[in-house]
Amino acid sequence: MKKILFYTNQFFGGIGAEDKAYQEPFCKEGPVGPGMAINAQLKKAGIAEVVETVICGDNYFAENIQTSLDFVKAAIDRVQPDLVIAGPAFNAGRFGIASCEVCKFVMAEYNIPAITGLYWENPGVEMYKKDCYIVETAKSAAGMAKAVPIVVSLASKLLTGEKLGTPKQEHYYPKGQRVNTFHELDGATRAVNMLLNKLAGKPYETELEISVYEKVTPAAPLKSLAESKIALCTTGGIVPMGNPDHMYAATAKFWKKYDLGDATELEGGKWESVHAGFDPVYANEDPNRVAPYRMLKTLEAEGFIGSVYPYLLTTTGNSTSVADATKFGQEMAQDLLANGVNGAILTST
């Protein structure tokens, strides 16, 4: 019987929620959490069994990626699995990134097939869909019952060598690979048929999906900066030194508002960046390089800007989901409007 190594986080591993997000990775014999349902179906079919589970806190993995992968490597070397399954992580950003990182590492370093499962809006989909198999799931763990059979079906075919169908047939996100297929009708005829069906209101299926993004109407321009109150916002992860509120290094779940009082700049040594998507050395040396509060206060002193909102609104944009980012933006806007702010500068990295 084939062997499977399973990866999950602190929540699905049954050791706790956010209070255990910094749990260092450790192993448990056999399946844990969702791995139990996956194991039951694969073992019943006589195909494979989950022999060991790696459990790691989401925050620990995000802040110690290489150390976490080294632990996974040791587990693989010991277990010698035929397949690795991580998650499913649904729309959980940190867990999704961790699951994808594990799967990408396994497939690249060991050429062992690896599967995880994510909701389409999880940032891990766009970041890793070319590197591993990511099956389509619901937004939350409420869709676990539907996700498990999809994972099991794909795992079964990968383990037995059965030919895979198209990504749509197997319910995983396309990996960007082009495969030649034969059709009775040529491309021009198929395209015209699709157009006719569309015009007639009949069902049709495109062969080239185009990404569609929400269109946001820009705000009206400010009439006069000299009469405006400007706020500074950043997704560069700038926080007080020591990160007292535990801002996430990636896949942020909250934003913070810090009172700057009479400060005319963000002083090095008092502020730092916890953003895990770039080397923060220069940002920590001078935080104004990411959040240019010094320049705003200079422009205020020169009369170019009417006034500067004496607060920094900050979060980490690294791998943060669209849904969470939209929520942060709406909450920040409510705060700014309530305090008479006319305009805002949002800096990134």
Side-chain angles (χ1 to χ4, degrees), residues 182-197:
F182 291 97
H183 287 269
E184 294 182 4
L185 303 176
D186 60 34
T189 302
R190 298 199 307 276
V192 170
N193 288 341
M194 280 189 281
L195 176 59
L196 292 175
N197 285 336

Side-chain angles (χ1 to χ4, degrees), residues 327-344:
K327 176 174 175 289
F328 299 165
Q330 292 170 342
E331 293 172 350
M332 289 180 180
Q334 291 173 1
D335 176 274
L336 300 181
L337 288 171
N339 288 282
V341 173
N342 303 84

